[in-house]
Amino acid sequence: MILRSILLQDFGLYAGRQLIDLVPRSDAGGPRPVVLVGGKNGAGKTTLLEAVRLALYGRRALGHRVGQSDYENYLRRRIHASRDGERADSSSVGLEFDYAEAGEIHRYKITRSWTAKGVKLNEDLLLEKDGKTVTSVPRDEWQYFLHDLIPPGVSQLFFFDGEKISEIAEGEHDDGLADAMRGLLGIDVIARLRTDLGLYLARQNRAEDSESATRLDQLLARKAELDSKIAEAVEDTAELRSQRDAQSANAERVRRRFVAEGGDAANQRASLEASRDETRRQIVRREVELRELANGLLPLAYATKLLSRVERHLADEDARSRVNSDTASALLAELRTWQASVGTATWTEGHWTDLERFAASQGEVPVGGPLSDAAERDALRRRIAQVRASTSSHSALLAHELAELTGQLNEAEASLVRADGHAAGVLLDEMAVSEQRVGATEATLKAREEELRGLEYQRATLLREQERLLESQTAVGMAMERAKLAAMTSQTLARYEQRLLELKVEQLRREFTVLFNHLARKGDLVADVAIDPDTFASKLIDASGREIPKVGLSAGEKQVYAIAMLWALARTSGRPLPMIIDTPLARLDSEHRATIVERYFPSASHQVIVLSTDTEVDGPLLARLDGSVSHSYRLEYDGVAGRTVATRGYFDDQEGDVALLQG
């Protein structure tokens, strides 16, 4: 098989019509099998690999369990959109290849196109052979024909990316990969032939063993029925998952709108009202306390000049009181001197004591208003000190608290206004409905998944019983010669299948050991490999016969292990299929990269399409690979136009012009 070209029409990053030639050339030095496609991250290398798979397999390219709606969403996203958001009307991918059948080479061309019109998406598949539309196969069976031509399981071992390499490198084998390996090695054909012979044998022995024959017919009919139901259930679960995800996203959008419209406030209305009422009570208490201050000393706190004048007046009153007392004492002293020299009356010492006490009291007797009383003056001084010490600061604190409480009251009332909004109530109902839908879909999905598990279990049980019946059929004596021959053939096929499996596994073991050491930096690291014939899981063995744990391998050695296994499978299968390898060197060090470039790429197949970044196959590695490169392309992403263009040449190499056919 030779891939001749890939055509992309408004697909992903590729705008317009772009045709990439994939046919490897030869020259005087021999064949050049490598077609090198270079592009920086995000330029569209993986998109090319996607286009090949999509052209061949349609929805199956996305996996076994992808629903139709998810597939249509994928196709819709793959229609090219420019940087300004303008999206093309349609998109298509085309693949042209040569394929040998019965020794004769035929040219096939697949064109898969789709158009999005609103919510509806129309897909069309065109299959041509040797320039004419295929008519030997009904149109509605074209996809099955392509699956038989190049089975999807087999193709994943020839068209692979770094993710597949990592999957094998980490030992993540699954039943799908094991089945793909069995199909690649041709072992599955023998198993199908045994089943067909067993059915034939059962029908021939219907007279002698009608019960087992009838049971086998029933098993096959039931298996076909289960296969149909499982396929339907798989599609239903995929659709339900997609529906559940869409409903969950919608419920989240409604919830955010509900919060924005005051929905949370509506749910907390009682709490908001209680908070508002408590804030009002706090405001009333602060206002009462402030009024009491206003009725008392608070006005004086704002009359600082008046307080200063009062304090000066009090000082003057104190001075006048002292003057009055001193004047009375002086007059008494003069009176006593006069009495002693001139006076005629007899004054006892008691009289003089009374007079001195009278004179001393003259500074404390009120003589002209309330400030003349020393006690009143002291009381007034204490009040002024109280005003200065606490009244002013207390009133300021009360005013600050009132301002804060007023702000809290306004916020609570605003929240209550939002809570009263009609929109929040409507959104609350819508949110409840959307959440109910999510819950209902989730319940339906779980029930369908449980049903699917039950169907798969029934199918596995049928397969086990079918195998037992087939084995018993080969042991039943045959009355007729043809039945005997069929029984012998069935037994022979069973032995042949086992022997073929052993031979293929043995060949795979030898191929892998040689190829791994050929690619690994340590050429004698692996002496042998043990491969499980059922799962194809492998264990590496060193020269001492001990197992080499894969966890002990370096990251580069694990990558080399995966590449060597894929290469060994391809060589063991004998199938002449091309290789498409997407960014295989990302996790390798420079020495391993050089080895892969020199020893793997030129020999992996008759056609090797390598999709690489400029940091993987760089200048020095390109020089090592140059003798094997037929031609190259570089994918250049135009950030302004939002499109990728495929151009002849590899990065700095200016080999040719743009590989475009503008349509």
Side-chain angles (χ1 to χ4, degrees):
M1 177 181 180
I2 290 286
L3 298 178
R4 300 195 60 83
S5 64
I6 180 74
L7 178 64
L8 305 107
Q9 174 76 44
D10 289 319
F11 181 70
L13 295 174
Y14 296 86
R17 181 180 174 86
Q18 302 194 43
L19 180 69
I20 299 179
D21 177 17
L22 301 176
V23 180
R25 275 68 161 171
S26 300
D27 57 18
R32 290 175 171 259
V34 178
V35 177
L36 185 59
V37 180
K40 296 184 178 180
N41 290 331
K45 299 184 301 301
T46 302
T47 303
L48 284 179
L49 181 56
E50 286 184 18
V52 173
R53 288 173 171 165
L54 181 61
L56 286 170
Y57 306 121
R59 186 173 71 176
R60 183 72 180 273
L62 305 185
H64 291 278
R65 299 189 173 185
V66 175
Q68 182 64 26
S69 61
D70 287 336
Y71 176 57
E72 290 181 359
N73 289 335
Y74 166 82
L75 292 180
R76 191 174 282 106
R77 291 194 303 271
R78 277 292 176 265
I79 298 176
H80 176 75
S82 62
R83 179 54 63 90
D84 58 9
E86 184 176 354
R87 191 171 293 275
D89 295 329
S90 61
S91 183
S92 66
V93 292
L95 184 66
E96 188 175 41
F97 58 92
D98 292 340
Y99 195 90
E101 297 175 281
E104 185 177 351
I105 296 177
H106 298 278
R107 183 159 299 172
Y108 285 92
K109 184 177 181 181
I110 309 167
T111 304
R112 192 180 299 272
S113 58
W114 57 95
T115 303
K117 295 181 179 179
V119 296
K120 187 177 181 181
L121 186 137
N122 296 319
E123 181 185 13
D124 185 56
L125 175 64
L126 177 62
L127 179 61
E128 298 174 272
K129 181 179 180 180
D130 298 328
K132 298 179 181 179
T133 301
V134 172
T135 56
S136 58
V137 178
R139 178 180 291 268
D140 57 358
E141 295 182 11
W142 280 355
Q143 189 61 70
Y144 301 106
F145 172 76
L146 289 172
H147 286 183
D148 289 338
L149 200 65
I150 310 171
V154 171
S155 73
Q156 67 174 310
L157 303 177
F158 286 85
F159 308 156
F160 58 86
D161 54 14
E163 183 178 347
K164 175 58 68 177
I165 293 176
S166 297
E167 176 185 325
I168 297 176
E170 298 301 329
E172 297 175 0
H173 283 70
D174 56 20
D175 292 339
L177 185 59
D179 289 343
M181 291 180 176
R182 294 175 69 89
L184 181 62
L185 300 178
I187 299 169
D188 60 334
V189 176
I190 309 301
R192 291 200 301 270
L193 183 55
R194 282 187 62 212
T195 299
D196 292 341
L197 273 175
L199 182 60
Y200 167 78
L201 192 59
R203 288 169 179 166
Q204 289 297 318
N205 293 332
R206 193 177 299 273
E208 296 184 12
D209 193 10
S210 60
E211 183 178 348
S212 62
T214 301
R215 181 56 183 161
L216 185 56
D217 281 338
Q218 292 172 348
L219 286 178
L220 292 175
R222 178 59 178 160
K223 178 177 174 293
E225 181 184 351
L226 284 174
D227 287 341
S228 176
K229 289 183 177 180
I230 287 173
E232 181 182 351
V234 166
E235 185 162 344
D236 286 348
T237 53
E239 291 289 349
L240 286 169
R241 287 191 193 97
S242 177
Q243 183 179 346
R244 186 267 318 273
D245 293 342
Q247 289 173 346
S248 296
N250 181 64
E252 178 60 22
R253 287 193 296 271
V254 174
R255 191 196 68 78
R256 287 197 293 267
R257 287 169 54 205
F258 176 69
V259 172
E261 293 286 345
D264 280 356
N267 284 342
Q268 301 170 7
R269 182 178 184 86
S271 175
L272 288 170
E273 288 177 342
S275 176
R276 178 201 61 188
D277 295 342
E278 176 60 24
T279 303
R280 285 176 175 172
R281 288 191 289 271
Q282 293 284 347
I283 289 174
V284 169
R285 284 197 288 271
R286 300 300 189 282
E287 288 176 343
V288 169
E289 194 172 350
L290 196 57
R291 279 196 294 272
E292 289 176 353
L293 284 177
N295 292 333
L297 299 176
L298 181 59
L300 294 177
Y302 297 95
T304 55
K305 292 182 179 180
L306 175 61
L307 288 178
S308 297
R309 288 200 299 272
V310 170
E311 287 176 328
R312 288 196 298 273
H313 190 52
L314 290 173
D316 292 343
E317 288 295 327
D318 288 342
R320 280 196 293 273
S321 295
R322 287 193 295 275
V323 168
N324 290 339
S325 178
D326 292 344
T327 300
S329 298
L331 288 173
L332 181 58
E334 290 180 4
L335 177 60
R336 190 165 190 167
T337 301
W338 179 82
Q339 175 63 30
S341 60
V342 181
T344 58
T346 302
W347 293 68
T348 65
E349 192 61 32
H351 290 106
W352 291 111
T353 299
D354 290 340
L355 287 172
E356 288 173 353
R357 290 170 58 191
F358 172 76
S361 68
Q362 292 305 301
E364 299 177 358
V365 176
V367 294
L371 295 181
S372 300
D373 188 345
E376 291 289 340
R377 290 199 300 275
D378 289 341
L380 187 52
R381 283 194 186 92
R382 285 193 298 274
R383 292 193 174 214
I384 291 174
Q386 182 181 355
V387 169
R388 292 188 183 280
S390 61
T391 303
S392 180
S393 61
H394 187 46
S395 66
L397 176 61
L398 288 173
H400 177 70
E401 290 177 347
L402 271 174
E404 285 191 343
L405 289 168
T406 301
Q408 294 174 12
L409 179 62
N410 292 337
E411 184 177 349
E413 289 177 342
S415 296
L416 285 170
V417 169
R418 289 198 304 272
D420 289 335
H422 174 69
V426 173
L427 287 173
L428 179 60
D429 295 338
E430 185 178 348
M431 185 172 68
V433 170
S434 61
E435 289 176 347
Q436 288 172 359
R437 287 174 180 166
V438 173
T441 303
E442 184 71 32
T444 304
L445 174 60
K446 288 182 178 179
R448 197 64 169 137
E449 288 175 337
E450 185 65 28
E451 181 182 349
L452 175 59
R453 285 191 290 271
L455 290 171
E456 289 175 337
Y457 176 78
Q458 292 178 44
R459 185 180 185 275
T461 303
L462 285 179
L463 288 175
R464 287 194 295 270
E465 185 177 354
Q466 175 183 320
E467 184 64 24
R468 288 195 300 270
L469 283 174
L470 290 174
E471 291 175 356
S472 67
Q473 287 292 336
T474 59
V476 173
M478 306 301 176
M480 299 174 60
E481 188 63 29
R482 286 185 302 175
K484 290 180 181 180
L485 180 60
M488 293 172 59
T489 304
S490 181
Q491 292 174 346
T492 302
L493 281 175
R495 292 193 297 271
Y496 176 72
E497 179 183 1
Q498 183 63 32
R499 183 58 181 153
L500 177 62
L501 181 59
E502 292 173 357
L503 289 172
K504 289 294 186 180
V505 169
E506 176 64 19
Q507 184 182 353
L508 179 61
R509 181 186 66 79
R510 291 197 304 269
E511 291 281 4
F512 171 81
T513 303
V514 171
L515 295 176
F516 180 88
N517 290 323
H518 181 63
L519 297 177
R521 182 171 57 237
K522 305 169 186 176
D524 58 350
L525 177 63
V526 174
D528 200 354
V529 60
I531 300 176
D532 188 305
D534 295 322
T535 65
F536 284 85
S538 62
K539 296 180 181 179
L540 303 180
I541 310 297
D542 64 14
S544 303
R546 293 190 297 267
E547 180 182 351
I548 304 173
K550 287 182 185 175
V551 294
L553 299 177
S554 67
E557 289 168 341
K558 289 181 180 178
Q559 298 292 301
V560 169
Y561 159 79
I563 292 172
M565 183 59 72
L566 289 169
W567 193 5
L569 281 166
R571 292 180 60 165
T572 303
S573 72
R575 294 200 181 205
L577 292 177
M579 287 279 192
I580 304 177
I581 312 171
D582 182 13
T583 57
L585 307 179
R587 300 186 182 182
L588 295 176
D589 56 36
S590 58
E591 189 171 346
H592 279 121
R593 288 187 180 190
T595 303
I596 297 297
V597 166
E598 286 185 329
R599 299 182 180 181
Y600 175 57
F601 288 167
S603 306
S605 177
H606 60 282
Q607 181 183 25
V608 181
I609 301 166
V610 179
L611 310 174
S612 170
T613 65
D614 57 343
T615 58
E616 286 188 286
V617 179
D618 54 15
L621 290 182
L622 182 60
R624 292 171 181 256
L625 187 63
D626 186 57
S628 300
V629 175
S630 165
H631 58 285
S632 60
Y633 288 91
R634 62 181 177 276
L635 306 179
E636 297 181 342
Y637 177 70
D638 184 347
V640 176
R643 60 180 289 181
T644 289
V645 174
T647 307
R648 288 277 192 172
Y650 185 75
F651 290 106
D652 294 335
D653 178 25
Q654 303 297 324
E655 180 182 321
D657 299 323
V658 176
L660 285 183
L661 298 174
Q662 296 289 352

